[in-house]
Amino acid sequence: MSGDKTDAKSAKSVDPWGGKSFFQSIPHVRALDITPVDTGPGQATLRLPYNAALAGHPASGILHGGAITTLVDTACGMAVFLAMRQPEPIATLDLRIDHIRAPTPGSDVLCRAHCYRVAREIAFVEAEVIEAHTMALVARSIGTFIRTSSPQRREAEQPMEGRA
Amino acid sequence: MNMIADQLRAAYAAGDPDGLLAVVPYARFLDMSAHLEPDGPRFELAFQERLIGNIAIPALHGGVVAGFLEVATIAHLMWHSQTADLPKTINFSIDYLRSARSATTHAACRLTRVGRRVAQVGAEAWQEDRSRPVAVVRAHFLLPELLSQD
């Protein structure tokens, strides 16, 4: 997309922090102050800082499930990007989240997402959400993403070597 | 003594599901609203720049659509069960059917099953055309105590 052929060719996956400025250009990611903590091929860990405005319960101050889902969806999307050979458009097909234990109010949460398979049309992702200071498991998630550009077009743009 | 129970009781008595959203900080953060239709509560989320997840389309963040629907399912369950506190989400499953564009998003829910401890709720969200939903949801909740009937 950027037209920088050297970068796209030399990188095995997208540049490890490649997504960072891109992610922070997303208005809702910025609104929740979600930031990358660690990335690798097919893996992304993002942090959601605690914010009382995102609470689901006024008395307890526990984060709403929707804020957790937003963190998970963002981390999963980033993991899919980092599993692909070059950036391409994707969209969440579905996401399922089990809320295992409520995060402690006041604590930041981290989401570690792993894209374990990129097929021709679909990418498969799993993720867990943990409390930043105790590392206690808060939620687990599984999701699928669709690669929205056509496989024909992708193959035309991709070098011959390494096609799956 | 219990401020939340009192606020919820007032919202139920006023026949105004919007009063339930006023209790939830995250619902206010999204700036969503609710009103009563003949078939139950209806929820709305106005499009706002800060809710965008895809700048190119532009489209709402998938997490916003999910969060909006999670608040809606919780409020719908409270409305029908007259709970004294907020239900807890056990799990939440969302299918994205098309992108939610720069328009108001609506949601309606239905109770699939309400037991003594656990409830299953379904929901759908749409924009201009209800026959073209942007997302559907299935979720389980742990029920809190109900308000006493007297």
Side-chain angles (χ1 to χ4, degrees):
Chain A
M1 298 277 167
S2 68
D4 192 339
K5 283 176 189 159
T6 326
D7 274 7
K9 254 187 189 165
S10 59
K12 278 220 164 60
S13 67
V14 185
D15 139 40
W17 290 94
K20 189 184 179 184
S21 55
F22 168 69
F23 263 70
Q24 272 149 9
S25 73
I26 300 171
H28 196 61
V29 170
R30 236 178 16 238
L32 264 55
D33 198 18
I34 293 172
T35 51
V37 172
D38 188 31
T39 54
Q43 312 228 32
T45 303
L46 305 188
R47 175 189 294 263
L48 171 68
Y50 181 77
N51 179 354
L54 305 177
H57 193 286
S60 74
I62 292 168
L63 282 177
H64 194 277
I68 304 270
T69 306
T70 300
L71 173 67
V72 168
D73 186 37
T74 309
C76 288
M78 191 166 189
V80 173
F81 277 124
L82 293 167
M84 295 184 313
R85 295 175 56 84
Q86 53 193 23
E88 59 176 66
I90 55 166
T92 318
L93 209 52
D94 80 313
L95 209 57
R96 181 222 159 98
I97 300 193
D98 287 336
H99 293 281
I100 293 155
R101 93 165 48 75
T104 309
S107 173
D108 296 0
V109 289
L110 305 174
C111 177
R112 286 194 295 234
H114 174 213
C115 175
Y116 57 92
R117 161 92 172 131
V118 180
R120 201 169 130 96
E121 309 275 4
I122 304 295
F124 299 85
V125 193
E126 57 189 6
E128 45 182 45
V129 179
I130 54 176
E131 236 178 55
H133 70 294
T134 62
M135 304 298 264
L137 187 64
V138 165
R140 281 182 68 87
S141 180
I142 191 146
T144 52
F145 285 71
I146 184 158
R147 306 170 70 177
T148 51
S149 63
S150 78
Q152 291 77 12
R153 199 177 133 191
R154 281 198 306 265
E155 277 165 26
E157 285 171 357
Q158 204 173 343
M160 286 298 291
E161 154 281 317
R163 273 192 203 170
Chain B
M1 195 183 89
N2 187 335
M3 270 173 53
I4 291 164
D6 289 346
Q7 273 178 280
L8 298 180
R9 198 189 305 271
Y12 301 138
D16 180 14
D18 206 50
L20 302 180
L21 303 184
V23 176
V24 183
Y26 180 70
R28 296 199 304 266
F29 177 81
L30 293 180
D31 202 17
M32 54 185 283
S33 61
H35 66 273
L36 202 55
E37 291 278 324
D39 60 344
R42 189 66 62 78
F43 302 89
E44 263 99 44
L45 178 69
F47 185 84
Q48 301 154 68
E49 197 269 343
R50 69 192 176 94
L51 304 181
I52 291 173
N54 185 322
I55 318 159
I57 294 180
L60 292 179
H61 195 293
V64 168
V65 177
F68 167 60
L69 282 167
E70 187 169 335
V71 174
T73 45
I74 290 171
H76 183 94
L77 175 58
M78 291 166 73
W79 185 257
H80 282 278
S81 305
Q82 307 259 301
T83 60
D85 201 346
L86 290 133
K88 288 179 182 164
T89 311
I90 301 166
N91 55 39
F92 185 85
S93 187
I94 180 163
D95 292 342
Y96 293 99
L97 306 173
R98 41 182 71 79
S99 46
R101 311 225 165 196
S102 52
T104 298
T105 310
H106 310 269
C109 314
R110 73 203 156 277
L111 303 178
T112 315
R113 180 178 188 273
V114 182
R116 281 196 314 162
R117 289 176 300 169
V118 171
Q120 192 199 101
V121 189
E124 62 175 357
W126 69 93
Q127 293 190 313
E128 283 88 356
D129 181 355
R130 190 168 181 173
S131 70
R132 294 173 58 79
V134 296
V136 292
V137 151
R138 187 178 64 90
H140 288 95
F141 298 97
L142 219 45
L143 280 165
E145 279 181 34
L146 308 184
L147 284 175
S148 51
Q149 295 301 346
D150 38 66

